[in-house]
């Protein structure tokens, strides 16, 4: 257990290092770190979890309840941490801890199925996996809870602890409105394991919850349930897509694999477990989320960037472990002399090796490069710009500056819209979301000055503007 604890602590340290360095060197962004910081601060103060920043970007106003975009009430459990430290760094550290805490249940599951040696190799593969790296590198998201909860669900079910499994499944539903679909997939797996009625119950609860979240919970707090409907090419509702899947399955299959970038992402998800996940019924748990991503019309859901793959990384690893075990048992029946533990170690070593060889392609590679830690003059200028903004005001801030003002001001995103705040922190040199060019950013600064804003600070492209 000492070795396992060391792996958990090392993973937590690496995730914290990557996230906090990015934050302190102004590489974190308001979308989405400030968004979640505002939301959790609302929970922490026993008030409504609003996000003025997200509300204004959606033209819903500063009182927009963030649960109306994604229904993630589980974020309320992070509120007590804000009583210790009120700021977005708290979310970065909490995310690091949550990702690392998935390691013990993954280790227990793998040890039970493949043995102790294989378990250590598999948890290392998870700790350095590219889906976790991408999530840690992209600020903070509710996905931080998914690896831990899916690992607990799978491990506790495998151990025959069905009450704990159910509690983890309920908690997973609270992570995001579409997690009901993952519970549906888990129900399919449970049914195939011989617990037909329990599996059907999980599937029913998962479908019911997702339906309620979209049709009742999200609209009840002022959200639009159709905001993330991204399947217009297939139909305008779930029912029409279902009919199309039954009447024209080849079209659905073609959509799943085209354009080619989807195949690249799927390969990077499946190859790290040597494709053995395809031989496990646990793949049913990951399938709904993969379908949700690959059938959509949104590029950022298909790619390996961002945090989306972290929702299924544990499921795919556990399915890989289970699939490898099934293949090894099948091989032993055909070749009785094959050593099961040896074969298990070989598979786990292969999975670990693949995970390690992928590290240079993804964000953990930054940690071994000295330039990642360098503080350039523009960072010092950004710090001065932040200092120039007084506490307690409403400020529109460029995307990569907003998180540094969020703890003491009401931050909105600086966009190409009529100004709504008396204070603005602009960047006329570095391209920032959602701007299309730095030329337009500089032009907008000039326009704001023409509207009566006074320049309070200017250095390295950063401009702080104020209008009384």
């Amino acid at each position: 257990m000492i070795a396992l604890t060391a792996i958990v602590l090392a993973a937590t340290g690496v995730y914290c290092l990557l996230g906090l360095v990015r934050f302190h060197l102004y590489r974190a962004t308001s979308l989405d770190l400030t968004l979640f910081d505002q939301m959790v601060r609302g929970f922490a103060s026993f008030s409504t979890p609003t996000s003025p920043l997200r509300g204004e970007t959606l033209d819903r106003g500063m009182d927009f309840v963030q649960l109306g975009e994604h229904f993630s009430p589980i974020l309320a459990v992070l509120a007590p941490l804000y009583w210790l430290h009120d700021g977005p760094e708290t979310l970065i550290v909490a995310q690091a801890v949550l990702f690392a805490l998935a390691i013990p249940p993954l280790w227990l599951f793998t040890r039970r199925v493949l043995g102790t040696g294989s378990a250590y190799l598999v948890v290392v593969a998870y700790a350095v996996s590219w889906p976790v790296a991408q999530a840690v590198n992209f600020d903070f998201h509710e996905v931080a809870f998914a690896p831990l909860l899916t690992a607990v669900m799978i491990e506790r079910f495998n151990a025959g602890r069905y009450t704990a499994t159910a509690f983890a499944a309920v908690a997973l539903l609270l992570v995001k409105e579409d997690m009901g679909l993952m519970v549906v997939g888990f129900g399919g797996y449970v049914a195939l394991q011989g617990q037909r009625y329990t599996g059907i119950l999980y599937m029913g609860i998962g479908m019911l919850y997702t339906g309620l979240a979209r049709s009742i919970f999200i609209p009840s707090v002022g959200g639009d349930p159709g905001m993330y409907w991204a399947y217009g090419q297939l139909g305008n509702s779930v029912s029409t897509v279902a009919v199309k899947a039954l009447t024209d399955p080849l079209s659905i299959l073609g959509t799943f694999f085209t354009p080619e970038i989807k195949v690249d992402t799927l390969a990077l998800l499946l190859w790290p477990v040597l494709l053995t996940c395809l031989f496990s019924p646990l793949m049913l748990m990951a399938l709904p989320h993969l379908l949700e991503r690959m059938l959509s019309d949104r590029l950022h859901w298909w790619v390996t960037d961002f945090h989306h793959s972290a929702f299924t990384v544990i499921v795919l690893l556990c399915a890989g472990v289970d699939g490898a075990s099934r293949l090894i048992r099948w091989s032993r029946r055909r070749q009785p002399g094959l050593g099961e533990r040896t074969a298990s170690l070989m598979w786990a070593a292969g999975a670990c090796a693949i995970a390690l060889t992928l590290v240079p392609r993804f964000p953990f590679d930054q940690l071994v490069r000295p330039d990642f830690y360098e503080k350039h003059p523009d960072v010092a200028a950004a710090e001065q710009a932040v200092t120039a903004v007084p506490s307690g005001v409403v400020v529109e801030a460029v995307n990569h500056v907003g998180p540094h003002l969020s703890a003491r001001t009401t931050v909105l995103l600086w966009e190409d819209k009529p100004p709504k705040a008396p204070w603005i922190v602009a960047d006329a040199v570095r391209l920032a979301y959602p701007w299309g060019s730095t030329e337009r950013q500089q032009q907008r600064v000039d326009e704001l000055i023409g509207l009566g804003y006074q320049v309070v600070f200017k250095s390295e492209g950063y401009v702080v503007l104020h209008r009384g």
Side-chain angles (χ1 to χ4, degrees):
M1 295 302 291
I2 295 177
L4 183 63
T5 301
I7 293 172
V8 172
L9 292 176
T12 302
V14 168
Y15 305 157
C16 282
L17 180 63
L18 178 58
L20 291 175
V21 168
R22 291 187 72 256
F23 175 81
H24 287 294
L25 295 183
Y26 286 74
R27 297 167 192 167
T29 56
S30 280
L31 287 176
D32 293 324
L33 184 56
T34 299
L35 178 158
F36 284 108
D37 178 58
Q38 292 175 339
M39 179 186 185
V40 178
R41 182 172 293 107
F43 281 126
S45 61
F46 300 101
S47 60
T48 308
T50 59
S51 174
L53 179 140
R54 190 58 174 148
E56 289 298 331
T57 62
L58 295 173
D59 296 320
R60 298 295 185 88
M62 293 177 61
D63 293 328
F64 178 72
V65 179
Q66 184 54 35
L67 293 173
E69 182 180 17
H70 288 304
F71 197 74
S72 304
I74 198 170
L75 292 173
V77 306
L78 300 180
L81 300 179
Y82 269 57
W83 305 338
L84 302 175
H85 182 274
D86 184 352
E89 305 98 315
T90 299
L91 296 182
I92 293 172
V93 174
Q95 178 170 258
V97 173
L98 286 167
F99 276 136
L101 285 178
I103 290 173
L106 175 61
W107 183 85
L108 287 171
F109 174 80
T110 308
R111 184 185 66 168
R112 190 178 300 118
V113 177
L114 294 181
T116 302
S118 298
Y120 281 111
L121 291 167
V122 168
V123 297
V124 170
Y126 162 77
V128 302
S129 65
W130 70 263
V132 174
Q134 292 287 40
V136 171
N137 193 60
F138 186 31
D139 303 334
F140 171 89
H141 291 85
E142 68 283 307
V143 70
F145 290 90
L148 171 60
L149 294 174
T150 54
V152 171
M153 283 175 66
I154 295 168
E155 190 280 323
R156 289 291 81 189
F157 180 81
N158 180 262
R161 302 298 180 87
Y162 304 127
T163 301
T165 304
F167 276 114
V170 170
L172 182 65
L173 292 175
L174 303 180
V175 170
K176 200 177 175 186
E177 65 278 1
D178 60 351
M179 288 297 96
L181 301 179
M182 190 173 286
V183 173
V184 170
F186 180 72
Y189 163 71
V190 170
L192 288 178
Q193 297 306 108
Q195 298 189 30
R196 183 181 306 172
Y197 296 113
T198 302
I200 292 173
L201 182 61
Y202 273 116
M203 288 189 281
I205 290 173
M207 287 296 293
L208 177 63
Y209 182 83
T210 293
L212 290 174
R214 284 181 50 81
S215 63
I216 296 179
F217 301 158
I218 288 176
S220 70
V221 293
D224 177 8
M227 183 186 304
Y228 283 94
W229 181 258
Y231 310 95
Q233 79 281 18
L234 301 176
N236 57 9
S237 67
V238 174
S239 59
T240 55
V241 173
V243 170
K244 187 175 183 64
L246 292 172
T247 58
D248 190 10
L250 291 180
S251 174
I252 298 292
L253 188 64
T255 302
F256 189 81
F257 290 109
T258 54
E260 187 177 339
I261 192 170
K262 296 179 182 178
V263 178
D264 295 339
T265 297
L266 290 169
L268 280 169
L269 284 168
L270 304 181
W271 174 238
V273 291
L274 290 84
L275 306 182
T276 58
C277 58
L278 299 176
F279 297 90
S280 170
L282 256 175
M283 269 299 293
L284 288 173
M285 189 175 180
L287 185 58
H289 195 258
L290 294 178
L291 288 170
E292 181 183 13
R293 292 177 63 186
M294 300 306 165
L295 294 180
S296 76
D297 57 14
R298 303 194 179 188
L299 172 64
H300 63 279
W301 288 6
W302 311 336
V303 295
T304 57
D305 299 338
F306 312 117
H307 60 288
H308 304 103
S309 295
F311 280 104
T312 52
V313 60
I314 283 286
V315 181
L316 293 173
L317 274 170
C318 290
V321 168
D322 181 58
S325 175
R326 292 170 185 269
L327 287 173
I328 290 168
R329 291 198 302 270
W330 177 81
S331 299
R332 285 195 68 193
R333 286 195 293 269
R334 297 179 63 87
Q335 300 180 28
L338 181 67
E340 185 172 346
R341 290 302 182 194
T342 300
S344 298
L345 280 170
M346 289 175 61
W347 175 86
C352 186
I354 291 171
L356 290 170
T357 58
L358 287 174
V359 167
R361 290 187 55 179
F362 293 97
F364 286 148
D365 178 62
Q366 300 172 95
L367 297 174
V368 298
R369 291 193 274 110
D371 61 320
F372 176 65
Y373 304 93
E374 291 180 3
K375 183 177 179 179
H376 299 290
D378 64 297
V379 174
E383 292 174 340
Q384 291 176 287
V386 167
T387 303
V389 179
S391 298
V393 301
V394 179
V395 54
E396 293 181 28
V398 67
N399 199 28
H400 49 274
V401 171
H404 292 265
L405 288 162
S406 186
R408 61 183 183 86
T409 67
T410 300
V411 175
L412 309 179
L413 183 65
W414 183 51
E415 301 179 89
D416 200 353
K417 295 179 178 180
K420 296 183 178 181
W423 289 85
I424 295 176
V425 180
D427 188 342
V429 173
R430 286 152 290 273
L431 184 64
Y433 178 85
W435 297 86
S437 68
T438 54
E439 290 79 10
R440 177 55 190 154
Q441 290 171 228
Q442 177 61 68
Q443 183 183 32
R444 185 56 180 159
V445 170
D446 295 337
E447 291 172 357
L448 290 168
I449 293 173
L451 290 172
Y453 279 86
Q454 303 295 316
V455 176
V456 175
F457 171 84
K458 185 175 183 179
S459 177
E460 296 288 336
Y462 289 105
V463 183
V464 178
L465 303 160
H466 177 245
R467 182 174 63 184

